[in-house]
Amino acid sequence: MQNFNYLEPGSLWEAVGILEGLEGKAFPLAGGTDLVRTFKRIGFREHGVINLKKIPELSGVKFDGQVMSIGALSTVSELLANSEVDEHFPVLAQAARALGTPQIRNLATIGGNLCTSSPASDLAPALLAYQAKIIITGPNGEREVAVNEFFKGPGQNVLDRGEILTRIDLNLPVPGTIGAFLKHGVRKSHEIALVNTAVLIIPVRGSDKIAVARIALGAVGPTPFRAWQAEEQLAGAEGGLPQFEEAAKIAQELASPIDDVRASADYRKHMAGVLVKRALFQAWGGKV
Amino acid sequence: MKREIVLKVNGESYQVYVSPEKMLLDVIREDLQLTGTKKGCEAGECGACTVLMDGRPVNSCMVLAFDAVGREIVTIEGVGGLEGLHPIQEALVEHGAVQCGYCTPGIVMTAKALLDSDPNPTEEEVRKALAGNLCRCTGYVKIVEAVMDVSKQISESPELREKLSQSQEFGAKTVGR
Ligand SMILES: Cc1cc2nc3c(=O)[nH]c(=O)nc-3n(C[C@H](O)[C@H](O)[C@H](O)COP(=O)(O)OP(=O)(O)OC[C@H]3O[C@@H](n4cnc5c(N)ncnc54)[C@H](O)[C@@H]3O)c2cc1C
Ligand code: FES
Ligand code: FES
């Protein structure tokens, strides 16, 4: 391929076929907010895009009362405009609100956010906390991957040759589930996270105890991840600041951030603990 | 390889012959010669290149022109027009919210999209809506005041509300090449 190639398949199977044939040469195009930036850096020549926008199955958000199915091409703005997302998956809505700028949110898709597999993704921690299922279609048909198995490293994921992320399924959380998303950056908005976290707590009904806690962290490791040991610490415990501090300390030890021009690894690690504590406390109804 | 595409900009259809790697921003500025849309960072950061796509502000430096086929694009040339400035433009002038002016077209587009969808935003909402439009000169205070002022004018004047709801088409018709 000499020139930049622009392809616009009208069906998923066609897209999979093209992608399989042009692996490493042409890339699926969703919102383009990551891909176009990459091409601007490495050059357009010799490459190509397979625009996914003409594939009907990839669009739309559906909710049947139990499962919310989010098409890979749903933009961050579409998630924010959807009242069912806000009502049933508020932590995802909070994460969506924290992503980029209004202009970027109008372009950026949830599928692109996952496939870019940036350790600092804002949607990933929320999807980890909700235990999202990722639905993938490829040359061998459809398969499903739990979101905590999707990421393999910075910019790397489980997608194989010819595979396209088609949708994300979220199960309705148990009634009474509470949660929070927090992002820490240098500025208030328009900022890639130095650390971000999404937490969900399922309280034991009619008591101050925690049945289940889920804590996900981003930007402080090669991939966004669940802080399992911190979650275990909270399961069955009383909810309250001392317990949250203890869990946050464990979560902080699981963080392995990088040093760069924006912040030191030590600072990021410290803030991971602070943010987890705040998120748990905020979810629990406290103010920090 | 260059191909012919049709873009709908400010209500008019333009046939252009462009390479698939060309950005919407560059087609607007170079092929359509609508140079009101500014080119800043070319990386989605500054908002100088903001245009409306199906009514929503986007960074035209991040959109391939081919990917904009079939969408309704509105640029700054499609706002206001021969009949005078758009109230947002007027307010920016009134409030001294324009200095070098490089960010202004982008600010106008974003503010227009905001007020079209929510004519009564809080100051916080205005600031959030403008978070993707960087201004190196004004310090933002006057820009936010100007947008709040337009919002106030809209809530006080049914005629203005009426005029603005028509101006989406009105702007489109008065654009020239
Ligand atoms: C100014 C700016 C600010 C940003 N701020 C944030 C932020 O605050 N938080 C954050 O998380 N991100 C941020 N981003 C990154 C980016 O906007 C998001 O990651 C976005 O969600 C990517 O989605 P997209 O649709 O634009 O992806 P694209 O750029 O279209 O695609 C990204 C990658 O995924 C692949 N891909 C896309 N869709 C699929 C699919 N369905 N199946 C298989 N592969 C696919 C593409 O081939 C490409 O490799 C920012 C980007 C910019 C330019
Ligand atoms: S030129 Fe497009 S955002 Fe800066
Ligand atoms: S007036 Fe100069 S950048 Fe805003």
Side-chain angles (χ1 to χ4, degrees), chain A residues 49 106 111 243 259:
Chain A
V49 294
N106 286 335
Q243 291 78 3
D259 263 314

Side-chain angles (χ1 to χ4, degrees), chain A residues 3-8 29-34 36-37 40 44-45 49 51 53-54 77-78 81 100-107 187-190, chain B residues 1 3 20-21 23 42-47 50 53 56-59 61-64 66-69 71 106 110 124 128-134:
Chain A
N3 293 307
F4 182 70
N5 209 349
Y6 180 91
L7 300 156
E8 213 167 58
L29 172 72
T33 58
D34 283 314
V36 166
R37 228 151 95 140
K40 285 186 179 193
F44 286 85
R45 298 264 138 164
V49 294
N51 192 355
K53 297 201 193 61
K54 294 278 144 65
S77 295
E78 279 163 14
T101 64
Q103 288 93 322
I104 292 292
R105 290 195 286 275
N106 286 335
L107 293 169
R187 285 174 288 155
K188 254 200 251 170
S189 60
H190 192 353
Chain B
M1 232 200 319
R3 265 194 263 167
E21 67 262 33
M23 289 298 143
E42 293 186 74
E45 304 274 359
C46 75
T50 302
M53 197 155 84
R56 292 171 169 277
V58 299
N59 310 100
C61 69
M62 300 299 284
V63 177
L64 290 168
F66 277 43
D67 197 12
V69 171
R71 312 288 209 106
T110 306
E124 182 67 15
K128 286 209 167 117
L130 292 172
N133 291 87
L134 303 189

Side-chain angles (χ1 to χ4, degrees), chain A residues 224-278:
Chain A
F225 64 92
R226 287 267 298 275
W228 305 100
Q229 290 91 326
E231 296 179 0
E232 278 158 24
Q233 170 80 15
L234 287 175
E238 295 274 315
L241 203 49
Q243 291 78 3
F244 296 154
E245 259 165 10
E246 194 55 39
K249 223 178 281 166
I250 298 173
Q252 176 172 337
E253 286 315 308
L254 298 171
S256 54
I258 53 161
D259 263 314
D260 73 7
V261 58
R262 295 193 312 138
S264 69
D266 281 349
Y267 176 72
R268 284 188 162 99
K269 191 161 176 150
H270 173 74
M271 284 314 294
V274 171
L275 223 60
V276 167
K277 181 184 75 185
R278 279 186 194 161

